[in-house]
């Protein structure tokens, strides 16, 4: 693809055409100079914006890239020309990029994608890419153009905001039902993104298409701060001051008659280096907003003299509003947590305190700062006769990922013994990562005193119960005899299951194993507290096409086939039977029959 200058230079000269006119030659040379200046200006714009930009032909070969693209892949711009995505990026990413190019050319429509990119060090980053088909004068697709922006920081901010929200929801989970809807609404608002408002101009060249497709405001100024060019986004922001070209930047963009006090353009003109700052502005409806403003110097490629400044502005009004709303929401959650009557705290996996409620001082005599500064203070004040038992119980709670409720004694700051009812629960974020322990402690000293009084009455009742116990002993003996017979029958059934390679298990609607026959337990190990897909298949989520969910839903027996990975991919036929136990709870029984011989016979 020739540049405008090359096309003009390729025309016949005066020695190839009769009737040579010096005036025409002067006009042609002037046109070439103007086109070159325009080309240099557009190239400087692309090489100074933080976004990646490129042009490809229909075969996926790069025709032109800017410096930001070349830096990302570790080449010089000229070295990229002629290469394809497979020559530059990892195979899986390259194939995905090429698939998007084909879709854009086939549909003849622009496409916006959020995708991963491996930089020259191999580190994966998130980018937002806009791909657009390019047409010739006949309307035929001749290639694609693209622009990509690094949104990794935004992704991290969204992840950080989700983590903060999870922390707050856990802290006041029981008491924040009313606030949950407000927080969810805020989360959705934060996730909302600005959408592209202008379509790429098909009639312009590649550089002009990139310039007008940038979602943020871009303008070009001369060294005297006169506006030379603006993109459509900038025109939209300042439509009340149109036309913008020809005015001073502070007149066109801020309605002022003198330069702004905080002006990165002035700093760039003075230092010849990029500058940035956050400035306020008023939109067309006179509402106050905020811009993240960057300025980049633009130099003549030959003389290296400053020929202008590129102003790059990003509207961050919604982001600042979202951050303020999140701060207010966090303050509300903390207010609820701080005014609980019981002593609440959140302890991280490293034993350090993340949050301690002020009620700790009423119960223990120690302040929030005492516990925050000394993570071991809790164990220090536990009664020496209770500390080992408490440690074992908490360790079991963490290992089994289950709720713990226990009682123990502490010695408060004044030396008084205080009985504590301790409720402890392991907590996780939405991705299943452990966040530590959420604990609620209640002073039950008075309840313990009442229990002592009740002990006297219990002793009297025990005498009465002793007599009744003797009467029940004979009944128990009869029951034990029946249970012994049931146990023998159960062993016989288990022997039959083992001999026929038939496995039996019972599973609840959360996929937790309630029972498994001993032969299977020998092969797979301890099963208590485990879910079936983890125990049998080493998976973190339910198996695809799992019959358990369908059986619970339809309340019908489902027959399916599975393969046991831990047993050499052994094939089995699984009959999933839903039933209700004596408490009315719905469970499923799985009868797993070995069909290896049947499969072998079919193959033979």
């Amino acid at each position: 693809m020739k540049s405008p200058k090359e096309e003009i230079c390729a025309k016949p000269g005066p020695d190839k055409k009769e009737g040579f006119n010096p005036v025409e030659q002067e006009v042609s040379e002037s046109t070439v100079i103007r086109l070159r200046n325009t080309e240099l200006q557009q190239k400087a714009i692309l090489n100074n914006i933080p976004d990646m930009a490129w042009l490809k032909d229909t075969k996926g070969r790069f025709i032109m890239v800017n410096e930001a693209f070349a830096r990302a892949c570790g080449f010089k711009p000229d070295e990229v020309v002629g290469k394809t995505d497979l020559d530059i990026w990892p195979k899986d990413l390259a194939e995905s990029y090429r698939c998007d190019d084909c879709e854009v050319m086939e549909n003849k429509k622009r496409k916006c994608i959020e995708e991963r990119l491996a930089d020259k060090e191999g580190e994966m980053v998130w980018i937002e890419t806009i791909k657009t088909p390019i047409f010739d004068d006949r309307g035929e697709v001749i290639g694609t153009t693209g622009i990509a922006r690094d949104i990794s920081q935004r992704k991290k901010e969204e992840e950080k905001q989700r983590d903060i929200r999870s922390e707050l929801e856990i802290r006041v989970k029981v008491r924040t039902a009313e606030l949950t809807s407000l927080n969810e609404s805020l989360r959705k608002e934060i996730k909302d993104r600005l959408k592209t408002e202008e379509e790429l101009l098909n009639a312009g060249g590649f550089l002009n298409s990139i310039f007008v497709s940038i979602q943020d405001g871009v303008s070009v100024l001369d060294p005297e701060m006169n506006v030379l060019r603006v993109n459509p986004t900038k025109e939209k922001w300042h439509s009340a001051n149109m036309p913008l070209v020809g005015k001073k930047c502070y007149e066109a963009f801020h309605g002022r008659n003198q330069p702004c006090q905080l002006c990165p353009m002035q700093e760039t003109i003075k230092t010849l280096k990029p500058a940035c700052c956050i400035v306020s502005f008023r939109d067309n409806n006179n509402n106050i907003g905020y811009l993240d403003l960057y300025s980049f110097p633009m130099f003549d490629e030959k003389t290296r003299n400053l020929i202008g400044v590129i102003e790059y502005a990003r509207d961050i009004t919604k982001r600042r509003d979202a951050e303020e709303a999140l701060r207010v929401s966090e303050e509300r959650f903390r207010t609820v947590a701080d005014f609980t009557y019981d002593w609440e705290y959140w302890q991280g996996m490293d034993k350090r305190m993340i949050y301690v409620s002020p009620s700790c001082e009423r119960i223990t005599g120690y302040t929030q700062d005492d516990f925050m500064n000394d993570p071991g203070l809790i164990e220090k004040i536990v009664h020496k006769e209770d500390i080992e038992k408490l440690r074992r119980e908490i360790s079991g709670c963490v290992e089994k990922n289950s709720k713990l409720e226990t009682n123990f004694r502490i010695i408060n700051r004044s030396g008084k013994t205080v009985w504590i009812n301790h409720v402890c629960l392991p907590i996780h974020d939405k991705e299943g990562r452990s966040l530590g322990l959420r604990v609620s402690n209640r002073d039950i000293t008075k309840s313990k005193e009442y229990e002592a009084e009740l002990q006297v009455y219990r002793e009297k009742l025990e005498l009465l119960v002793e007599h009744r116990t003797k009467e029940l002993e004979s009944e128990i003996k009869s029951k034990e005899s029946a249970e012994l017979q049931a146990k023998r029958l159960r062993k016989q059934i288990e022997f039959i299951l083992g001999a026929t390679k038939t496995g039996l298990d019972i599973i609840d609607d959360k996929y937790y194993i309630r029972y498994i026959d001993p032969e299977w337990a020998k092969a797979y190990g301890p099963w208590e507290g485990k879910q079936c897909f983890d125990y049998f298949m080493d998976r973190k989520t339910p198996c695809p096409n799992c019959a358990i969910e369908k059986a619970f839903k339809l309340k019908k027996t489902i027959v399916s086939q599975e393969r046991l990975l831990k047993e050499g991919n052994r094939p089995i036929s699984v009959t999933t039977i839903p039933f209700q136990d004596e408490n009315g709870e719905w469970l499923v029984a799985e009868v797993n029959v070995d069909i290896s011989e049947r499969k072998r016979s079919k193959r033979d």
Side-chain angles (χ1 to χ4, degrees):
M1 181 180 289
K2 295 183 179 180
S3 67
K5 177 183 175 182
E6 292 172 333
E7 292 178 351
I8 293 178
C9 293
K11 293 180 178 180
D15 57 338
K16 298 180 181 180
K17 182 178 181 181
E18 296 182 358
F20 166 67
N21 189 333
V23 176
E24 291 180 356
Q25 181 183 17
E26 181 178 354
V27 172
S28 177
E29 292 177 351
S30 174
T31 301
V32 170
I33 292 172
R34 287 199 305 272
L35 288 174
R36 172 169 175 77
N37 289 337
T38 300
E39 182 180 0
L40 291 175
Q41 186 183 81
Q42 292 175 335
K43 184 180 294 184
I45 291 172
L46 289 179
N47 287 334
N48 281 278
I49 64 173
D51 296 339
M52 298 163 51
W54 65 89
L55 177 67
K56 296 180 186 177
D57 63 17
T58 56
K59 302 298 184 181
R61 295 174 298 220
F62 288 96
I63 299 174
M64 180 181 293
V65 300
N66 69 348
E67 291 183 359
F69 184 97
R71 285 195 302 271
C73 60
F75 292 95
K76 294 180 180 180
D78 294 340
E79 294 175 344
V80 179
V81 174
K83 295 181 181 296
T84 67
D85 288 315
L86 288 170
D87 299 323
I88 299 174
W89 311 113
K91 182 178 179 181
D92 56 339
L93 295 180
E95 290 177 349
S96 175
Y97 300 158
R98 181 56 183 165
C99 183
D100 291 332
D101 291 342
C102 292
E103 180 183 341
V104 168
M105 290 188 290
E106 181 179 354
N107 297 334
K108 297 184 178 181
K109 292 183 179 179
R110 182 178 58 183
K111 183 177 182 181
C112 181
I113 321 121
E114 287 187 4
E115 55 193 355
R116 304 296 294 272
L117 175 74
D119 62 17
K120 60 183 179 182
E121 285 80 20
E123 181 179 353
M124 300 300 290
V125 298
W126 278 99
I127 59 172
E128 183 180 60
T129 305
I130 298 176
K131 293 188 175 183
T132 306
I134 295 181
F135 305 91
D136 59 14
D137 294 339
R138 296 173 298 174
E140 297 294 329
V141 175
I142 60 174
T144 60
T145 178
I147 182 168
R149 173 178 303 151
D150 188 340
I151 60 171
S152 300
Q153 185 61 36
R154 189 182 77 189
K155 287 286 186 179
K156 291 179 180 178
E157 289 178 0
E158 291 177 354
E159 177 68 18
K160 181 179 179 181
Q161 291 167 353
R162 286 194 294 270
D163 290 343
I164 292 174
R165 187 173 300 106
S166 296
E167 168 191 337
L168 298 176
E169 290 173 351
I170 293 170
R171 192 181 303 164
V172 291
K173 185 176 180 181
V174 178
R175 300 170 179 87
T176 56
E178 183 178 346
L179 294 176
T180 300
S181 59
L182 176 61
N183 191 59
E184 180 65 15
S185 176
L186 177 60
R187 184 183 69 81
K188 291 180 180 178
E189 181 179 349
I190 293 174
K191 284 186 174 180
D192 288 343
R193 302 192 306 270
L194 297 175
K195 296 181 178 179
T196 306
E197 298 176 354
E198 296 291 335
E199 294 185 356
L200 296 173
L201 298 177
N202 296 327
F206 165 67
L207 298 177
N208 185 64
S209 297
I210 295 295
F211 184 78
V212 300
S213 69
I214 295 176
Q215 302 171 43
D216 301 320
V218 181
S219 57
V220 182
L221 314 178
D222 65 16
E224 284 73 41
M225 302 179 72
N226 295 307
V227 179
L228 301 179
R229 188 178 181 185
V230 296
N231 72 339
T233 301
K234 199 71 172 174
E235 291 178 341
K236 180 179 179 180
W237 287 355
H238 306 287
S239 59
N241 296 331
M242 292 290 286
L244 304 177
V245 175
K247 296 180 181 178
K248 299 289 186 182
C249 62
Y250 47 83
E251 295 174 342
F253 306 148
H254 301 285
R256 299 169 60 94
N257 54 15
Q258 58 184 359
C260 304
Q261 187 174 2
L262 292 175
C263 180
M265 271 64 68
Q266 280 189 315
E267 183 177 347
T268 295
I269 293 172
K270 181 179 179 181
T271 65
L272 304 181
K273 295 181 178 179
C276 66
C277 68
I278 295 177
V279 300
S280 61
F281 75 100
R282 290 189 177 275
D283 61 18
N284 295 329
N285 297 321
N286 206 33
N287 297 317
I288 296 178
Y290 296 91
L291 295 175
D292 212 350
L293 199 59
Y294 299 85
S295 60
F296 306 94
M298 191 166 56
F299 301 102
D300 184 274
E301 289 188 355
K302 292 184 177 181
T303 66
R304 302 306 298 169
N305 293 329
L306 183 71
I307 59 175
V309 178
I310 298 174
E311 180 193 72
Y312 192 92
R314 177 170 294 172
D315 189 341
I316 59 172
T317 306
K318 289 187 176 182
R319 189 185 78 189
R320 286 175 66 101
D321 292 343
E323 290 171 351
E324 175 62 18
L326 185 60
R327 185 193 65 77
V328 172
S329 177
E330 181 178 1
E331 184 176 339
R332 290 175 179 172
F333 279 114
R334 182 172 290 275
T335 299
V336 173
D338 284 348
F339 282 90
T340 56
Y341 186 74
D342 294 336
W343 169 22
E344 312 278 347
Y345 66 83
W346 177 5
Q347 188 175 38
M349 295 301 296
D350 58 357
K351 303 299 184 181
R352 294 186 178 275
M353 292 296 174
I354 298 174
Y355 171 78
V356 181
S357 69
S359 302
C360 64
E361 188 171 5
R362 176 182 61 81
I363 296 175
T364 69
Y366 294 94
T367 65
Q368 286 176 296
D369 290 339
D370 292 334
F371 286 102
M372 296 296 291
N373 296 330
D374 184 2
L377 179 58
I378 291 180
E379 290 195 356
K380 292 177 183 177
I381 65 175
V382 175
H383 197 285
K384 61 181 181 180
E385 295 179 1
D386 296 342
I387 183 62
E388 290 302 326
K389 174 177 174 291
L390 179 62
R391 286 172 179 166
R392 289 195 304 271
E393 291 176 335
I394 292 178
S395 177
C397 167
V398 174
E399 290 177 2
K400 297 181 180 179
N401 191 30
S402 60
K403 176 182 176 183
L404 167 66
E405 182 169 0
T406 187
N407 298 332
F408 59 87
R409 293 165 290 176
I410 66 169
I411 307 301
N412 68 11
R413 198 163 204 161
S414 63
K416 180 183 176 182
T417 299
V418 178
W419 275 95
I420 296 295
N421 173 251
H422 177 87
V423 180
C424 174
L425 183 68
I427 54 178
H428 306 82
D429 62 15
K430 292 184 177 180
E431 283 70 36
R433 294 173 295 190
S434 179
L435 299 177
L437 297 174
R438 199 272 193 192
V439 178
S440 177
N441 290 327
R442 175 171 296 177
D443 183 350
I444 60 170
T445 305
K446 289 186 177 180
S447 298
K448 284 292 183 179
E449 293 172 353
Y450 295 148
E451 288 178 5
E453 295 178 5
L454 291 173
Q455 182 61 30
V456 176
Y457 296 102
R458 290 196 187 98
E459 292 175 356
K460 294 180 180 180
L461 289 173
E462 287 175 359
L463 294 175
L464 297 175
V465 171
E466 183 179 357
H467 175 71
R468 176 56 180 162
T469 301
K470 292 179 179 180
E471 295 177 351
L472 294 174
E473 285 177 352
S474 60
E475 298 178 10
I476 292 174
K477 289 180 180 180
S478 299
K479 184 177 180 181
E480 288 176 346
S481 176
E483 289 178 348
L484 181 59
Q485 293 179 3
K487 185 176 182 180
R488 291 173 180 170
L489 179 60
R490 180 176 176 178
K491 287 185 176 180
Q492 293 173 357
I493 293 174
E494 290 174 349
F495 173 80
I496 295 172
L497 293 176
T500 58
K501 291 186 178 182
T502 300
L504 175 64
D505 57 68
I506 297 177
I507 300 171
D508 65 19
D509 59 355
K510 302 298 183 184
Y511 299 96
Y512 282 99
I513 300 173
R514 296 291 187 85
Y515 167 80
I516 188 168
D517 71 79
E519 289 300 316
W520 272 42
K522 289 178 183 178
Y524 287 86
W527 54 270
E528 290 81 0
K530 294 187 178 181
Q531 293 172 297
C532 58
F533 50 81
D534 177 26
Y535 184 74
F536 291 115
M537 300 296 184
D538 278 340
R539 294 178 57 87
K540 301 299 182 183
T541 58
C543 304
N545 302 319
C546 177
I548 293 176
E549 181 180 356
K550 188 174 181 181
F552 274 121
K553 182 177 180 181
L554 301 177
K555 301 296 187 294
K556 292 182 179 180
T557 298
I558 305 296
V559 178
S560 60
Q561 291 187 3
E562 299 285 347
R563 287 187 177 271
L564 299 176
L565 302 180
K566 290 185 176 180
E567 296 186 39
N569 220 23
R570 179 166 69 92
I572 58 173
S573 174
V574 183
T575 302
T576 306
I577 308 168
F579 69 97
Q580 283 183 291
D581 64 7
E582 63 274 16
N583 297 320
E585 181 182 5
W586 277 98
L587 305 170
V588 295
E590 284 188 326
V591 180
N592 305 278
V593 180
D594 183 89
I595 57 173
S596 302
E597 291 297 328
R598 186 193 310 171
K599 291 283 186 178
R600 193 175 297 112
S601 298
K602 288 184 178 180
R603 288 196 302 269
D604 294 340

